[in-house]
Amino acid sequence: MSGPVPPPADEPDVDVEVIVPEMVGAGVYANGFTCWYNRTDFTLDFLVYLPSEPGGVNETGHAAMRQPVQVTSRVKFPPALIFRLMQTLNDSMNNYERQFGPITHLGE
């Protein structure tokens, strides 16, 4: 998590107090995500993959599998905040790798 952004010199200092409600304090697990947007919002859906199950027959006549995924959390951002989110994630990834070593990419 990045630290607070200092206010411009002509504005008073503001101490931000982050309050985490008990019902969200434990967080939710996600092993996938998707991002979509419209004119006013970027939406991040955090997902968990559920067990695969038979899905019938596909258009070529072969057996198909169905991969259900469940949204565990949905967060909407105004477009102006997306670059700050990306920068914070990048900074956090760099800090993580300095502390714990390289992140192994999925599929490697």
Side-chain angles (χ1 to χ4, degrees):
M1 188 155 122
S2 71
V5 176
D10 59 342
E11 292 185 23
D13 288 342
V14 175
D15 290 328
V16 176
E17 178 185 357
V18 177
I19 299 169
V20 180
E22 188 174 325
M23 64 186 276
V24 298
V28 294
Y29 178 77
N31 58 10
F33 68 92
T34 186
C35 178
W36 48 282
Y37 57 89
N38 60 28
R39 182 163 169 53
T40 60
D41 299 298
F42 277 81
T43 301
L44 293 176
D45 281 342
F46 295 93
L47 313 168
V48 65
Y49 283 78
L50 302 173
S52 298
E53 51 194 46
V57 177
N58 66 18
E59 61 277 351
T60 63
H62 294 94
M65 293 297 289
R66 181 176 167 268
Q67 177 60 69
V69 294
Q70 181 177 340
V71 174
T72 60
S73 184
R74 174 173 285 173
V75 182
K76 293 183 171 286
F77 293 90
L81 195 56
I82 288 299
F83 288 111
R84 185 184 242 170
L85 172 66
M86 291 170 51
Q87 184 62 55
T88 299
L89 286 172
N90 188 59
D91 292 347
S92 294
M93 286 173 38
N94 289 331
N95 291 339
Y96 177 96
E97 289 186 320
R98 273 194 296 280
Q99 186 173 356
F100 300 109
I103 296 172
T104 302
H105 298 272
L106 293 176
E108 293 182 5

